[in-house]
Amino acid sequence: MRGRQTVRDMVLSLAVIGVLVAGIYIFIPHDDSGSAEQKAVQTVDTRVEVATARRAAPYPVAAPEGLPKTWRTTSVSYRASDDGKGGAWHLGMLDPEQQYAAVEQSDAPAKEFIKDVTLGAERAKGEQAVGSKKWDRYKGEKYNALVREEPGVTTVVTGTAPYGRLAELAAALVAKKG
């Protein structure tokens, strides 16, 4: 029978495959709702990590207080350096529109630290007023950032979120030493 296949046989084969794919789609559970995306990223509790970082860091560690519950924390870490300088605090979040925003702090040299955590963003024109303080704006291909350099620590609020959301996060930051 080889060589005697017809277009009809090919169409019948494709129809059988189509029925199988439709059956799999119908009977296998899936969630196409907007909440599925939100549920895909786990939220983490930061209380212990914030307290630990505040005790370990040589600078006041900034963490948000009073943000709405629509902001979700997705990652948190503090990495101490071997020489007591360059310890790094990280707090990653999703804003209410599911855009990434992070608080990054370190006592490492500011220029290199800013470049690393903003994925190479460059200083942009203008400053962002956050409360009574001015933050420098940075713009990059992937991340925007607000940067505040103070004696002994550089604080960077960075991510895919727009400057307004980054400013909202920066305004909620409270720096404390444990």
Side-chain angles (χ1 to χ4, degrees):
M1 287 282 276
R2 195 168 177 144
R4 297 180 52 113
Q5 295 89 357
T6 65
V7 172
R8 179 180 169 273
D9 293 334
M10 184 176 69
V11 170
L12 288 174
S13 296
L14 286 173
V16 169
I17 292 171
V19 168
L20 286 171
V21 169
I24 290 170
Y25 181 79
I26 290 169
F27 294 110
I28 304 249
H30 55 279
D31 188 354
D32 294 333
S33 69
S35 66
E37 182 180 317
Q38 289 180 354
K39 292 176 192 171
V41 177
Q42 294 294 321
T43 301
V44 297
D45 186 4
T46 62
R47 291 175 292 190
V48 172
E49 288 83 357
V50 169
T52 302
R54 285 180 170 162
R55 281 193 303 272
Y59 51 84
V61 170
E65 292 183 6
L67 278 177
K69 292 194 184 296
T70 52
W71 284 80
R72 299 183 309 133
T73 305
T74 59
S75 60
V76 60
S77 66
Y78 176 74
R79 179 183 32 85
S81 65
D82 294 333
D83 61 1
K85 279 291 198 185
W89 166 245
H90 161 81
L91 182 73
M93 305 184 83
L94 289 178
D95 76 359
E97 282 79 40
Q98 304 306 303
Q99 291 296 313
Y100 180 69
V103 177
E104 308 282 357
Q105 277 187 302
S106 182
D107 57 347
K111 185 177 180 179
E112 208 47 47
F113 175 68
I114 294 166
K115 183 179 176 184
D116 287 346
V117 298
T118 64
L119 303 180
E122 298 285 331
R123 176 92 188 261
K125 279 191 171 188
E127 293 178 323
Q128 180 81 37
V130 177
S132 62
K133 298 178 180 176
K134 301 283 186 195
W135 291 62
D136 296 325
R137 283 182 173 219
Y138 280 69
K139 182 139 186 75
E141 284 185 38
K142 295 185 181 186
Y143 285 175
N144 292 326
L146 299 176
V147 176
R148 183 146 173 85
E149 293 182 55
E150 298 173 291
V153 65
T154 301
T155 304
V156 179
V157 178
T158 187
T160 60
Y163 285 117
R165 286 290 184 193
L166 297 177
E168 185 180 343
L169 176 55
L173 294 179
V174 176
K176 294 181 186 174
K177 185 81 177 110

